[in-house]
DNA sequence: AATATACTAGTAATAGTTATCATTAAGGAG
DNA sequence: CTCCTTAATGATAACTATTACTAGTATATT
């Protein structure tokens, strides 16, 4: 993996985020620093950075993938109204059962995704008003 | 919601499945019985059936949504190699923490998605052979 | 049987992402 | 430092999954 300016700017921009931007959000922010960068480059680098464990690609509900600067294992809440994604505290660990022994199977379990969904605080408040 | 032949055939075909087909898989199966049906009709009816709670739409990792004839809450395992999705036993219940009290928030939690991912038994066996 | 309208087939449009390809630029070897 | 291999880039096309549109059809209520 070669070190390019594009890659490091993409990473820097993502790391300023406390939320979980989509590829096109990052694209428009990165373009302020690198106006000639192309969307494909953003996708390509996000893919490399996540497959090498520097960042995390989130495949939760909804139609867009999102990117998380924090590659450590943690859970998320997703708002089905505004599509925002919130981190749940990293020390929140749920004791998940060993499904292989439960089902007598020999799968290789690489990880788990736990997602809560509903209305975020803001959208919930708005719903009451309307 | 009106009762059409298309809708009931789509539901019947889905209910013969023990796995979790995609919309286009169902489309090609349904077409054997209703050769003139269109893909849009399949999507439309799957949407109605899932929003009325008869079936379940799965938005897990990967790029295609899948449909589950069983609308009861249960968890899934997803194979990242062959993209298949397996049901975990319905009596497997994990005690999930109340994230609102944990984070002092007033979100409205409508549900949770718990997904295990990795290599299914078959793909795991194949990997060892190669 | 008449009627209002939800649903359909066929098709176009959209959104998100990936592939292609000629050109550029990392970064290791000499 | 210069050369050279090749990974990465920008620009664009292609692709995949899904949704929208519309004239015509069929359901189910009156």
């Amino acid at each position: 993996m070669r070190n390019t300016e594009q890659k490091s700017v993409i990473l820097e921009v993502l790391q300023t985020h406390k939320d979980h931007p989509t590829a096109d959000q990052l694209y428009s922010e990165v373009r302020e620093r690198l106006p000639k960068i192309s969307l494909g480059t953003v996708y390509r680098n996000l893919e490399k950075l996540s497959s090498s464990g520097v960042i995390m690609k989130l495949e939760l509900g909804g139609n867009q993938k999102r990117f998380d600067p924090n590659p450590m294992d943690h859970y998320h809440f997703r708002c089905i109204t505004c599509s925002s994604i919130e981190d749940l505290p990293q020390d929140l660990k749920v004791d998940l059962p060993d499904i292989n022994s439960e089902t007598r199977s020999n799968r290789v379990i690489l990880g788990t995704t736990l997602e809560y969904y509903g209305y975020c605080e803001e959208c919930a408040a708005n719903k009451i008003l309307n």
Side-chain angles (χ1 to χ4, degrees), chain A:
Chain A
M1 181 150 87
R2 217 165 256 188
N3 240 4
T4 67
E5 191 178 4
Q6 289 87 342
K7 180 176 297 156
S8 59
V9 171
I10 290 166
L11 181 58
E12 278 173 39
V13 168
L14 176 58
Q15 285 174 338
T16 66
H17 274 262
K18 284 176 185 143
D19 59 353
H20 305 80
T22 59
D24 57 288
Q25 282 169 1
L26 289 168
Y27 172 55
S28 76
E29 291 173 35
V30 166
R31 246 193 319 186
E32 291 172 20
R33 288 175 58 184
L34 302 173
K36 300 212 58 155
I37 200 172
S38 81
L39 180 59
T41 300
V42 173
Y43 271 103
R44 223 179 307 113
N45 279 300
L46 288 171
E47 194 58 44
K48 297 224 158 168
L49 289 166
S50 61
S51 69
S52 65
V54 180
I55 65 173
M56 195 160 69
K57 178 162 67 166
L58 302 181
E59 307 195 18
L60 305 179
N63 16 237
Q64 276 183 89
K65 291 174 183 157
R66 289 172 176 271
F67 295 89
D68 192 330
N70 176 11
M72 302 291 291
D73 194 32
H74 62 284
Y75 309 128
H76 296 95
F77 170 85
R78 174 172 58 94
C79 177
I80 62 172
T81 299
C82 71
S83 297
S84 69
I85 294 184
E86 296 170 38
D87 281 322
L88 298 180
Q90 213 169 116
D91 56 15
L92 180 70
K93 282 275 165 276
V94 181
D95 197 30
L96 296 173
D98 173 3
I99 59 168
N100 273 350
S101 68
E102 295 270 358
T103 62
R104 284 176 214 150
S105 171
N106 291 309
R107 307 174 188 92
V108 175
I109 313 246
L110 297 176
T112 53
T113 303
L114 174 56
E115 177 200 14
Y116 289 72
Y117 59 86
Y119 307 128
C120 72
E121 214 161 9
E122 197 181 330
C123 289
N126 286 338
K127 279 197 196 300
I128 293 166
L129 297 177
N130 305 323

